[in-house]
Amino acid sequence: MINEEAVYYSRILTETTLSFHIIYATLGVGVPLMIMIAHWVGIKKNDEHYILLARRWTRGFIITVAVGVVTGTAIGLQLSLLWPNFMELAGNVIALPLFMETFAFFFEAIFLGIYLYTWDRFENQRKHLLLLIPVAIGASFSAVFITIVNAFMNAPQGFELINGELANVNPIQAMFNPAMPTKVSHVVGTAYMTSAFVLASIAAFRLLRGSNHIYHKKALYLTMKVGLIFSLTSLIVGDLSGKYLAEYQPEKLAAAEWHFETSESAELILLGFMNEEEEIKYAIRIPYALSILAHGSPTAEVIGLDQFREEDRPPLYIHYLFNIMVAIGMLMIVVSFFYIVSKAKGWSIVESKPYRWLIVFGGPLSLIAIEAGWWLAEVGRQPWILRGIMRTAEGATTSNDVDLMLLLFCGLYLILGIGSVVVLTRMFRRNPVERELMERKGDVHR
Amino acid sequence: MNINLEIIGITVLWTFLFGYIIVASIDFGAGFFNAYGIFTKREHILTKIIQRYLSPVWEVTNVFLVFFFVGIVGFFPSTAFYYGTTLLVPVSIAIILLGIRGSYYAFETYGARSHKGYAFMYGLSGLLLPAALSIVLTISEGGFISMVDGHLILDYWLLFTSPLTWSIVVLSLSAVLYISAVFLTWYADQANDTPATELLRRYALIWALPTIITAGGIIYELRFHNKEHYEQILSFWWMFLISALLFIGTVWLLWKRKNYGVAFSLLIGQFAFAFYGYGMSHYPYLLYPHLTIYDSFTNEAMAISLIIAFIAGLALLIPSLYLLLRLFLFNKDYVSGKSEHEH
């Protein structure tokens, strides 16, 4: 029944689509919140700079939304095209949040259209700001519902399998599965965090490239502040995720932490490198830390990979993904925290070139952390597509044409990736802030 | 047929598909007319009116499609297995076309200035997409999919040599152009743009005939391809008769240059009667002869929660859609370009 080649290419194609989509999806969830904050601050302080910030971010946002919509449609259909057996089973239990996601997105799309085309239609700016609330809510709830589906794949519940037949399906129980609270808050929180740091990165880059306009400084301060808040919440939720994994998916935690033997007072292995004999070299070992991460107590017992059969273990390379994600998250907390403190104390080091370059790299780094996090989540669930119920290979299509489709989709993503970057740079380069501010000065309230 | 959850589910989905067919047809056709206008140096007549309509609604069009395929896997999970396995190639091609279309639309409108090559690609994709998507309807008639050792196989040779396939492709193309031209005639008339109205009216009249001829031809061909379905269609003859009368009404109004708004609503009626008539005659099959709405249906708990979610969602969406339409479609100042908006 299983077509090994189809399974292999289906995995690669899904991975490619998700890796590409997640960049635009993350910005799609986070940027509306940033626009809303900027617009709100602008109205409250009666500061034209923040209003313009909201306007310019919105223009860029349209482009990322367009690519997000298109690739989202692709992944939505690919679920059925590449994983028909999985979707037949999952459709019976977890179709509800998928369906609700469509509504959330529809809601967002309608109001985004209205917001975009009504910048100067309202006498009262507050009314225009109100239009943004459904956009931000729709965007965030899209992420919530989709992440619920992913949480279900990690911790399926809300049904019974009696002789291979589904019975007693409870869609609500399936939605509120144990993986859901940590996963949803982590995904939404890191989307806000990443969007803030990406926008901060742009502001810092403008400041480095000649412009010394107060507009960019305001943008930088605002985004760093929001970025700090959400990187701290991501840290807290990350810790809770560890506790969730220890309880419900111990094999994922054990593989990510290279924890082989079940033991009490477990040490945490940071960084390091594994050679072919599965020996760990150059790692930092922190005593008791894994027990604390897993159960909040230094002496607690942490289940190791020895409790799982060879064929039920996730690949060990997820340790590297885990480290990349955590390291970037920590770095961003430090960078943004130090920036905010320095601003308050009047230290000028954060105005220096090297520090601004650090902030510039923070944007792409945050996106890398998002990628690493999703690879960790997906590869760490292997060999299961529905943990404990269905193996990935059993869920895949049997079609022989997946390799060709992979090529076609790679072409599409290449075009979309290049296209969006070119359009975005051209859009802002041709219409620099200074010029737009000048134009608006004489024509502020059209 | 009794009203049960299965019927409610498929009716909801069929309605979304109908909505998609109408809004997407307008969109696809507009892209084609736009490209054709540039090609024949008539862009000054058409481009403005077309872009004014398309700008705020392009995303909404896509959502109708997403609703349909997410909904069908929700209500009828077995379709994921049957259609998912066999449609990999045609649907992937459709996604790629939609991808290029949707994103480049945004790139073009909000980003760079017009590029001719792009306008042609956009117009061309508007013709290829209905062709690729309509293949699904052809396959649902059965005879192209077989089960070999537990694997589902789609016979491409049989599919692409069948006259039914090509008739459905031609119908989808002419219907797209016809629906789009009738709508845009009305839209241009609302904007008091006489040259555009006249040109679009001519396109509408040109595409009316091929639409009705192929539609009739397909019913005739089904007699040989799927006798059971053909006989069921005949039992719904009155729906197709009403559809044909509404068609005559639209053409007559266009011919007499009267009431373009009424003409467009008659057209909606025409397609609704034909589309639902076709759908009802297809009952109970989702895929002849493998899959019916009964053996593919989800469990009761999921069906009920989907219907509740659907009603709650509609309560949220209908007022929002109304607002969108009022601001852009039915706002005279906006339609005629009197109020300028930045984007």
Side-chain angles (χ1 to χ4, degrees):
Chain A
M1 269 304 276
I2 292 170
N3 177 346
E4 290 296 339
E5 202 173 312
V7 174
Y8 176 75
Y9 285 115
S10 295
R11 287 192 62 185
I12 304 226
L13 178 49
T14 309
E15 193 166 15
T16 312
T17 304
L18 273 179
S19 302
F20 187 71
H21 174 65
I22 200 63
I23 297 173
Y24 296 90
T26 300
L27 296 174
V29 171
V31 172
L33 182 79
M34 299 302 301
I35 298 172
M36 202 162 84
I37 293 173
H39 198 166
W40 180 64
V41 172
I43 291 172
K44 216 180 64 174
K45 293 190 175 172
N46 198 14
D47 185 333
E48 191 62 23
H49 288 153
Y50 287 100
I51 303 272
L52 187 62
L53 203 54
R55 276 180 104 119
R56 287 173 70 89
W57 282 348
T58 309
R59 272 183 237 141
F61 176 63
I62 302 300
I63 305 297
T64 59
V65 154
V67 180
V69 171
V70 158
T71 51
T73 311
I75 188 67
L77 277 162
Q78 278 176 1
L79 278 177
S80 293
L81 295 174
L82 300 175
W83 310 100
N85 301 305
F86 163 68
M87 280 306 279
E88 188 178 15
L89 176 67
N92 273 296
V93 193
I94 200 68
L96 182 61
L98 268 177
F99 196 55
M100 299 205 296
E101 193 271 346
T102 328
F103 277 102
F105 176 70
F106 206 163
F107 195 54
E108 177 195 347
I110 292 172
F111 280 93
L112 181 62
I114 301 177
Y115 179 76
L116 211 59
Y117 283 85
T118 51
W119 264 105
D120 296 307
R121 258 200 202 181
F122 293 99
E123 289 286 322
N124 183 350
Q125 275 279 336
R126 278 166 206 275
K127 278 190 190 158
H128 191 222
L129 175 63
L130 281 181
L131 287 172
L132 208 50
I133 295 172
V135 177
I137 290 178
S140 293
F141 270 84
S142 293
V144 169
F145 290 133
I146 281 303
T147 312
I148 287 177
V149 179
N150 187 267
F152 173 80
M153 293 163 75
N154 283 281
Q157 67 167 34
F159 62 97
E160 281 171 55
L161 277 179
I162 301 170
N163 302 326
E165 294 284 318
L166 277 174
N168 299 327
V169 173
N170 182 340
I172 303 295
Q173 210 187 342
M175 280 178 71
F176 290 92
N177 59 70
M180 178 256 185
T182 44
K183 210 164 198 80
V184 165
S185 42
H186 196 58
V187 165
V188 175
T190 51
Y192 295 152
M193 161 189 166
T194 303
S195 303
F197 285 133
V198 166
L199 295 172
S201 156
I202 296 169
F205 186 74
R206 295 310 313 158
L207 286 169
L208 276 167
R209 280 279 169 265
S211 172
N212 209 23
H213 204 287
I214 182 82
Y215 169 91
H216 297 300
K217 291 181 179 164
K218 285 177 180 169
L220 187 57
Y221 187 68
L222 179 70
T223 48
M224 290 301 269
K225 209 157 60 177
V226 177
L228 174 63
I229 293 169
F230 286 108
S231 50
L232 286 173
T233 61
S234 303
L235 176 73
I236 297 165
V237 175
D239 178 64
L240 294 173
S241 303
K243 295 184 172 44
Y244 153 76
L245 284 178
E247 181 83 28
Y248 294 94
Q249 285 182 283
E251 77 281 11
K252 198 177 196 172
L253 183 69
E257 309 290 3
W258 284 347
H259 181 60
F260 295 97
E261 312 286 331
T262 303
S263 60
E264 291 174 1
S265 310
E267 58 181 15
L268 182 70
I269 297 174
L270 273 184
L271 306 175
F273 163 78
M274 185 181 280
N275 65 18
E276 278 165 24
E277 286 86 47
E278 294 208 343
E279 289 164 0
I280 301 166
K281 298 259 164 96
Y282 317 116
I284 304 165
R285 292 166 187 269
I286 308 171
Y288 307 111
L290 183 57
S291 288
I292 295 174
L293 175 69
H295 298 290
S297 146
T299 53
E301 184 185 70
V302 181
I303 296 174
L305 283 173
D306 57 351
Q307 302 287 313
F308 296 90
R309 286 177 302 171
E310 189 83 35
E311 67 265 30
D312 291 343
R313 293 180 194 168
L316 290 172
Y317 73 81
I318 62 172
H319 179 73
Y320 302 117
L321 299 172
F322 178 75
N323 278 325
I324 291 171
M325 176 184 80
V326 172
I328 294 174
M330 292 296 182
L331 174 74
M332 293 319 292
I333 290 178
V334 173
V335 169
S336 55
F337 181 74
F338 186 71
Y339 179 87
I340 299 296
V341 171
S342 304
K343 277 286 178 187
K345 301 268 181 193
W347 298 338
S348 62
I349 178 164
V350 290
E351 318 268 333
S352 68
K353 270 194 177 179
Y355 205 86
R356 282 198 173 140
W357 275 114
L358 195 59
I359 299 173
V360 170
F361 288 119
L365 280 176
S366 302
L367 286 172
I368 291 172
I370 292 281
E371 296 284 0
W374 274 105
W375 290 334
L376 167 68
E378 294 303 287
V379 178
R381 197 189 55 243
Q382 302 306 320
W384 305 103
I385 192 165
L386 199 56
R387 185 188 177 266
I389 311 276
M390 182 186 265
R391 282 171 192 274
T392 306
E394 297 164 342
T397 182
T398 47
S399 168
N400 288 319
D401 303 317
V402 188
D403 47 351
L404 181 66
M405 297 304 116
L406 174 64
L407 279 179
L408 289 179
F409 276 104
C410 285
L412 174 69
Y413 302 146
L414 198 68
I415 294 174
L416 294 181
I418 294 174
S420 56
V421 172
V422 167
V423 169
L424 280 172
T425 29
R426 206 186 284 168
M427 190 193 249
F428 291 108
R429 197 162 283 165
R430 282 191 186 169
N431 189 9
V433 160
E434 287 79 0
R435 202 175 76 196
E436 197 169 351
L437 276 170
M438 287 261 282
E439 284 169 6
R440 291 178 63 79
K441 279 269 161 59
D443 186 24
V444 172
H445 294 292
R446 271 189 293 181
Chain B
M1 39 175 130
N2 299 313
I3 298 299
N4 47 36
L5 287 175
E6 285 87 344
I7 303 272
I8 295 174
I10 195 68
T11 309
V12 166
L13 294 175
W14 202 240
T15 305
F16 270 110
L17 193 58
F18 180 67
Y20 180 68
I21 283 178
I22 297 295
V23 288
S25 292
I26 295 174
D27 183 65
F28 295 160
F32 174 77
F33 291 133
N34 189 29
Y36 184 72
I38 294 172
F39 188 66
T40 54
K41 308 261 178 281
R42 285 184 193 143
E43 60 201 278
H44 55 284
I45 307 181
L46 288 181
T47 303
K48 211 176 128 201
I49 202 82
I50 287 172
Q51 294 199 342
R52 271 205 102 61
Y53 161 72
L54 286 179
S55 300
V57 293
W58 69 270
E59 269 181 281
V60 176
T61 311
N62 204 44
V63 185
F64 274 97
L65 178 67
V66 178
F67 254 119
F68 176 74
F69 73 71
V70 169
I72 200 160
V73 174
F75 279 105
F76 305 99
S78 303
T79 54
F81 174 67
Y82 281 90
Y83 281 111
T85 309
T86 49
L87 290 178
L88 177 70
V89 176
V91 174
S92 291
I93 291 172
I95 303 171
I96 288 168
L97 290 170
L98 277 174
I100 290 180
R101 202 182 159 77
S103 61
Y104 268 79
Y105 191 71
F107 291 178
E108 182 82 359
T109 317
Y110 308 110
R113 276 277 56 95
S114 305
H115 187 276
K116 266 194 186 170
Y118 152 68
F120 288 126
M121 244 172 58
Y122 188 68
L124 187 68
S125 69
L127 293 188
L128 293 174
L129 263 167
L133 291 174
S134 67
I135 295 275
V136 182
L137 282 183
T138 317
I139 290 173
S140 79
E141 291 298 336
F144 303 109
I145 289 178
S146 50
M147 188 77 107
V148 183
D149 313 327
H151 285 237
L152 286 169
I153 307 285
L154 175 62
D155 189 335
Y156 283 104
W157 175 252
L158 206 62
L159 182 65
F160 286 115
T161 51
S162 162
L164 182 68
T165 308
W166 294 106
S167 319
I168 291 182
V169 166
V170 173
L171 173 66
S172 70
L173 292 183
S174 53
V176 156
L177 296 173
Y178 177 56
I179 293 172
S180 185
V182 174
F183 174 81
L184 289 170
T185 307
W186 172 49
Y187 196 77
D189 187 52
Q190 289 276 300
N192 295 322
D193 186 338
T194 317
T197 313
E198 279 303 302
L199 188 60
L200 288 161
R201 170 182 165 272
R202 230 183 68 209
Y203 291 156
L205 289 172
I206 288 172
W207 288 105
L209 202 61
T211 305
I212 203 77
I213 289 175
T214 44
I218 285 165
I219 295 181
Y220 179 73
E221 275 161 38
L222 270 180
R223 185 174 170 181
F224 308 104
H225 187 87
N226 184 340
K227 187 115 203 213
E228 189 183 346
H229 189 190
Y230 173 73
E231 277 160 8
Q232 289 231 46
I233 285 184
L234 291 190
S235 68
F236 289 103
W237 61 270
W238 56 274
M239 293 190 76
F240 294 94
L241 180 69
I242 294 176
S243 175
L245 292 175
L246 292 170
F247 168 78
I248 294 170
T250 310
V251 174
W252 188 76
L253 287 173
L254 285 174
W255 188 260
K256 290 277 172 194
R257 293 193 172 83
K258 275 201 281 203
N259 289 330
Y260 293 130
V262 178
F264 181 67
S265 30
L266 293 185
L267 172 131
I268 298 279
Q270 174 211 332
F271 277 89
F273 272 99
F275 193 73
Y276 284 92
Y278 171 85
M280 282 155 76
S281 65
H282 215 286
Y283 172 88
Y285 287 100
L286 286 170
L287 172 61
Y288 278 99
H290 300 283
L291 203 63
T292 70
I293 58 172
Y294 295 103
D295 48 47
S296 64
F297 199 59
T298 187
N299 52 81
E300 199 179 309
M302 179 57 79
I304 291 172
S305 48
L306 285 176
I307 290 171
I308 292 172
F310 175 71
I311 292 169
L314 277 192
L316 200 66
L317 285 185
I318 288 177
S320 330
L321 266 177
Y322 173 73
L323 187 66
L324 181 76
L325 294 178
R326 235 194 54 166
L327 280 171
F328 298 110
L329 218 47
F330 304 129
N331 183 314
K332 282 233 155 128
D333 283 351
Y334 177 79
V335 172
S336 58
K338 266 183 214 144
S339 62
E340 284 299 330
H341 306 291
E342 188 197 337
H343 41 69

